[in-house]
């Protein structure tokens, strides 16, 4: 197993532990916004470095991503004092079979109509680098740098 | 009390509840990075809309802020399902008396030499807008827009 694969596997384990992330995007005027998002289930053993989210086509974040693909995902688990920063590039994806593969009933909180919602889309985030901190005094550990 | 003051007071209460935030900055190459930071104690009753952090002058975040003042602060309290996004403008501040006012012993984790550290600086973040979510299915509530 290469170092990169090991890193990705460890990263996948950390991320899977934290249900919601703060997805940060840059707006047209340069201001930076974040919002909580549910990371869709990933395959920890064969993680390929792409994270998936459901999002509305007309949302502010989709608009930001169409203009500037750079995003950050901040994962915080305060009770374990564990923090992860993922930097990557986002794409809007309208692949119906991928949506079917990833759909879970808990998504009904934001998409009551489910996959029938004409506004539904996926956001994929290809990880470019990641850092973790796993105790307050710990130095940052660079995990993935691609 | 104006609406703005009420908003700021509520925001101050939410932020005071969450010890560490993820501070997001934009790098020279457009990539976006975040790192956990300890928000310094604020006056909830008379909150003026500026948040304070201790940081090293030579750190990556200080470098980013010198080039682009826009930052985001993501506050996550997963156990209460509460999430806050703060957008603002950051400045590097080297005011010794402000440092003395804000210094607390817990900062020794990152600044073992305390205020004698020649690398020590403050980052001030002037809040420009803030949004909160206080349950997973809740709609975002715009709290402060300046
Ligand atoms: C829980 C936690 C809180 C932290 N608080 C601070 C802080 O208040 N100030 C600081 O300079 N670094 C703090 N750090 C370290 C930073 O996260 C980061 O590693 C360091 O500031 C360098 O960041 P940079 O290279 O992105 O500038 C903290 C780390 C953890 C895990």
């Amino acid at each position: 197993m290469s170092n990169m694969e090991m890193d990705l596997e460890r990263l996948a384990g950390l991320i899977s532990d934290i249900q919601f992330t703060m997805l940060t995007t840059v707006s047209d005027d340069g201001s930076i916004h974040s919002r909580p998002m549910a990371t869709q289930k990933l395959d920890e053993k064969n993680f390929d470095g792409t994270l998936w989210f459901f999002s509305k086509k007309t949302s502010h974040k989709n608009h930001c991503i169409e203009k500037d693909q750079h995003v950050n995902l901040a994962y915080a688990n305060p009770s374990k004092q564990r923090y992860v920063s993922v930097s990557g590039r986002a794409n809007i994806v309208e692949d119906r079979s991928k949506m079917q593969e990833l759909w879970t009933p808990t998504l009904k909180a934001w998409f009551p109509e489910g996959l029938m919602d004409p506004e539904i889309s996926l956001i994929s985030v290809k990880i470019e680098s990641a850092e973790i901190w796993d105790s307050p005094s710990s130095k940052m550990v660079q995990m993935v740098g691609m």
Side-chain angles (χ1 to χ4, degrees), chain A:
Chain A
M1 209 196 272
S2 71
N3 265 347
M4 181 66 80
E5 281 160 22
M6 275 213 324
D7 275 3
L8 279 179
E9 194 177 317
R10 189 168 159 224
L11 184 63
L14 287 167
I15 287 176
S16 299
D17 242 24
I18 304 174
Q19 198 182 359
F20 300 112
T21 182
M22 293 294 272
L23 166 65
T24 306
T25 56
V26 179
S27 297
D28 296 346
D29 65 0
S31 65
I32 315 182
H33 293 267
S34 64
R35 66 291 282 162
M37 295 287 284
T39 310
Q40 295 312 298
K41 207 178 149 25
L42 47 87
D43 182 351
E44 281 183 52
K45 289 282 159 229
N46 297 296
F47 182 48
D48 64 358
T50 298
L51 296 166
W52 293 91
F53 303 89
F54 280 91
S55 178
K56 298 232 180 210
K57 284 182 205 167
T58 49
S59 66
H60 180 227
K61 67 185 112 40
N62 282 42
H63 177 77
C64 293
I65 289 166
E66 277 157 12
K67 297 271 178 114
D68 182 347
Q69 290 192 291
H70 294 98
V71 298
N72 183 268
L73 297 163
Y75 290 88
N77 186 339
S79 63
K80 289 194 188 165
Q81 297 277 33
R82 189 172 285 161
Y83 298 86
V84 181
S85 163
V86 171
S87 303
R89 301 235 180 193
N91 278 292
I92 315 293
V93 178
E94 295 190 34
D95 175 337
R96 304 299 301 183
S97 63
K98 191 71 191 172
M99 289 185 199
Q100 257 139 19
E101 180 196 323
L102 293 172
W103 178 261
T104 57
T106 52
L107 286 161
K108 288 222 165 114
W110 309 283
F111 303 96
E113 295 172 63
L115 295 177
M116 302 301 287
D117 188 331
E119 285 300 323
I120 203 165
S121 70
L122 289 168
I123 294 175
S124 70
V125 176
K126 195 163 165 24
I127 299 175
E128 291 185 326
S129 67
E131 290 105 34
I132 65 152
W133 295 255
D134 63 5
S135 72
S137 60
S138 75
K139 293 265 176 303
M140 173 269 279
V141 181
Q142 170 107 24
M143 287 202 60
V144 186
M146 297 178 180

